[in-house]
Amino acid sequence: GDRVEVKVTGARLRSQRAPEPPRRVAVAAPRLEHEGVARLTCELGSGPLGSIARGLAGRGPGLTPSGDDVLIGDLLARQASAPAAIADEAATILAVMRACSGEPALSLAGWAAKGESFAVVLDARDALLGAPRPGAIESLTRLGSETGRALLAGMAAGLRAG
């Protein structure tokens, strides 16, 4: 953007035009194998988060069950789109996951609540937010047997909700 520099009684102030709000990319949520996880993923953002999270946490196939991956994706998307409002949602999801999920998923969820994850996951999230990341979404869908698709489904739900 354009920069303006103003000198005021010996102090320098800098102003920069605010960046355009990111445009979100519409993406169809991928098909998930576990029917209950797929159904609850569609409900994220439209019902009570605690009960939906309890239905997802620890459910589905994988080392990190697909329900956990959906919650992690949801956290990442909400953190990126509304970081000031994430604290309550993150606390709810993390509390449920502590009771129902294994350590790998719980660690990843803790990172996600702070906006952190693996590069392939963050690149896909940024692509969903409109950043130029060619092939990022497709790369994520190939992660694990269902992990990438579940993370993507969670991010899509989180962006709809946030």
Side-chain angles (χ1 to χ4, degrees), residues 83-103:
I86 188 66
D88 289 340
E89 289 90 350
T92 298
I93 289 172
L94 291 171
V96 168
M97 288 183 73
R98 279 187 201 98
C100 302
S101 302
E103 184 54 40

Side-chain angles (χ1 to χ4, degrees), residues 72-129:
I72 291 164
D74 180 70
L75 276 172
L76 281 167
R78 288 178 190 242
Q79 204 284 333
S81 62
I86 188 66
D88 289 340
E89 289 90 350
T92 298
I93 289 172
L94 291 171
V96 168
M97 288 183 73
R98 279 187 201 98
C100 302
S101 302
E103 184 54 40
L106 191 54
S107 292
L108 294 171
W111 292 0
K114 296 182 270 182
E116 301 171 358
S117 190
F118 300 105
V120 67
V121 179
L122 296 178
D123 283 348
R125 184 211 47 205
D126 293 348
L128 289 173
L129 289 169

Side-chain angles (χ1 to χ4, degrees), residues 4-23:
V4 176
E5 192 168 314
V6 179
K7 192 170 185 174
V8 179
T9 60
R12 283 187 192 200
L13 305 172
R14 291 184 185 193
S15 173
Q16 189 167 337
R17 195 176 292 172
E20 293 292 320
R23 64 176 178 80

Side-chain angles (χ1 to χ4, degrees), residues 17-31:
R17 195 176 292 172
E20 293 292 320
R23 64 176 178 80
R24 294 183 181 175
V25 174
V27 64
R31 184 179 181 286

